[in-house]
Each structure stands twice: as structure tokens, then as C-alpha cells.
Amino acid sequence: MEFPKKVNIIEVGPRDGFQNVKDFIDTDHKVKIIELIQRSGVTAVEVTSFVHSKAIPQMADAKEVAKRVRGMFPDLRAIALVPNERGARNAFDCGIREVSYVISASEAHNLANVRRTIPESLEGLRQIRERVPDLVVRLDIATAFGCPYEGEVPREKVFLLIDEALKAGIREIVLCDTIGIAHPLQVADLAKRVQERYPQETFTMHLHNTRGQGLANIFAAMQQGIRSFETSVGGLGGCPFAPGAAGNVATEDLVN
């Protein structure tokens, strides 16, 4: 086990953290929080999500947030989550050059989350790559460690999504513990296996803290050589379509 001397942190609070806040957060306030995060030294932030406002009302101002953040911080690695080609085009038109696209390893969760089958989501991924070629796309594999509807998710389903993503030209894969069900041995095992199977690719982990094991899971992943993690300021976050899911690992806890 090789413990890294440093890791990359991608702050997801402005997207994953804010999406569960019921009261609408003023756009100026969102941008100010992103500014403070950037001033703290964070170099990569998932700033918003280009989803329909009926699905997640908090993201109704995604275009405004994206435009203002790109104008204020041109050197910030500003990432947006997109559910489809339309979202990808909207993000690109607002100056975003890197997006996260989510597909669940669990069919049931994918249907609940984006109302598509996994094959339909994969076709959507290929369309984004073909039709918005200048956009960098990361694949977020949701429920990689377990599903609120199906329970255990075989790692072969995760490998299948990785294989299809690589065919589409994706080079960063985010393994997501959507409901915070993972434990350190499970995280270490999957971290080891994906790196052995795909030694040239970049893997990031997105781990929730539902059972208080988020930092222990990150530690286990770091021991297996994972050097990139998504966390959320204050531990905010959770999946609206994953019953019982709590927030993410707090960014400040990981830094500490």
C-alpha cells in the first residue's frame, strides 16, 4: 500500500450540497460561497447542475451561476453536472468546459434518478461526446457500492459502465457511494481492482457519510493509491432519489 503525500479535492457543496436545501438560496449568495471556497485554496468546484428546475428547484439559476463564476474565476476548474445533451449544451454555452454525467450501476436507481434505463443513459453519454466534442466529460457511477432499491451491486456492473465510458473517450471515472453504505474493506477492494484493471485511467471517489465511515473509507482508498476525492463544505449534500442518504464527507475534515 502506497499512501499518497497529497490528494486532489473537488468541492461539490454548491451542487450536491445545495440541491437538498428546500429554501431557495439567492444567486448572489451562491456565488459568494463559491468565491469563499475558491479563496480558501480549492482549485476545483462543482458549481451547479443543469437539470430541469421542476426536478431540482434549487438549480433554477444554473445558467446565471455558471456565467458569473466563469467570469470571476477563469482559472477555477469549474464543473457542472448534466443529465443529458441539452444540459451539456446549456453548460457549454455558459462557459463551462467540464461536466459530470451520472449513470447508476443499479438499474432501479438510474430509473429513479434520471428516468432512463442504463443503456439509454449510455447512449446519452455517447451523444454528448459526439455532439459537444469540446466538452470534457467525467462519468459519475452512482450506487457503485450499494443501492437503496436493489441492495448489493455486483462490481461487474461497475466494470461494464467503465468499459463503455472508455469506449466513449471518457478518462475520469467517479465512483460514488450514493447512500453512504460502503465500508473500508469494500472501498479498498474496489479501489484496488479498478486500478489493476484500468491502470491508465483517473479514478475519483465520492463518498457519503451516512454511517459515519466517510473518512475511514477515504483513508482506505488512499492506502490503495486513490488520489482524488469529492467532498462538500460543512458535510452538506445527499441524493434526493436515495431515501435515507445523509451528507457528504466534510471538505474541512478531509483537509484536517
Side-chain angles (χ1 to χ4, degrees):
M1 296 184 289
E2 181 182 353
F3 197 79
K5 294 182 179 179
K6 64 178 182 178
V7 298
N8 296 319
I9 294 177
I10 301 167
E11 170 62 51
V12 298
R15 195 280 301 175
D16 196 354
F18 290 174
Q19 71 180 5
N20 282 335
V21 179
K22 293 181 180 180
D23 295 333
F24 187 77
I25 302 170
D26 183 77
T27 304
D28 288 343
H29 197 52
K30 289 175 180 171
V31 174
K32 182 63 176 179
I33 291 173
I34 294 170
E35 177 186 356
L36 293 172
I37 289 170
Q38 187 268 345
R39 285 171 55 187
S40 76
V42 174
T43 59
V45 181
E46 196 171 55
V47 297
T48 191
S49 175
F50 284 83
V51 297
H52 198 288
S53 59
K54 289 184 178 179
I56 304 181
Q58 189 63 254
M59 299 296 153
D61 59 353
K63 291 182 179 180
E64 179 66 16
V65 169
K67 289 179 180 178
R68 289 174 61 178
V69 169
R70 289 294 296 143
M72 293 171 64
F73 313 112
D75 295 330
L76 179 69
R77 184 185 172 194
I79 305 167
L81 184 141
V82 299
N84 49 39
E85 180 191 345
R86 181 177 180 180
R89 289 186 180 277
N90 287 339
F92 190 82
D93 290 342
C94 292
I96 296 294
R97 293 297 178 263
E98 184 172 2
V99 298
S100 297
Y101 180 84
V102 182
I103 306 179
S104 303
S106 154
E107 185 79 31
H109 186 267
N110 205 63
L111 288 168
N113 193 35
V114 295
R115 298 183 180 180
R116 288 181 173 185
T117 65
I118 290 175
E120 288 172 340
S121 285
L122 286 169
E123 179 57 29
L125 174 63
R126 288 187 282 267
Q127 289 175 355
I128 291 173
R129 292 288 297 133
E130 292 171 2
R131 299 173 186 176
V132 197
D134 294 329
L135 198 59
V136 175
V137 183
R138 316 157 73 229
L139 176 63
D140 287 13
I141 301 181
T143 64
F145 298 90
C147 172
Y149 307 110
E150 296 182 7
E152 183 178 353
V153 175
R155 67 172 69 93
E156 286 71 23
K157 291 187 175 182
V158 176
F159 295 158
L160 173 64
L161 289 180
I162 297 173
D163 289 339
E164 293 300 318
L166 297 183
K167 291 178 185 177
I170 307 300
R171 286 296 171 262
E172 182 178 359
I173 308 294
V174 185
L175 301 173
C176 305
D177 183 18
T178 308
I179 56 174
I181 200 172
H183 57 79
L185 292 178
Q186 182 186 19
V187 170
D189 179 70
L190 186 58
K192 180 180 179 181
R193 290 178 182 274
V194 295
Q195 290 180 112
E196 289 177 345
R197 188 176 176 118
Y198 311 99
Q200 303 303 316
E201 314 310 329
T202 298
F203 287 95
T204 295
M205 286 206 174
H206 177 113
L207 302 165
H208 284 230
N209 201 38
T210 305
R211 299 180 178 179
Q213 296 193 90
L215 282 176
N217 286 336
I218 287 178
F219 190 81
M222 289 172 68
Q223 287 180 316
Q224 296 299 328
I226 298 293
R227 292 173 170 79
S228 180
F229 298 93
E230 293 187 345
T231 56
S232 175
V233 61
L236 296 174
C239 177
F241 307 102
N248 295 275
V249 174
T251 304
E252 56 271 29
D253 287 346
L254 176 57
V255 171
N256 183 59

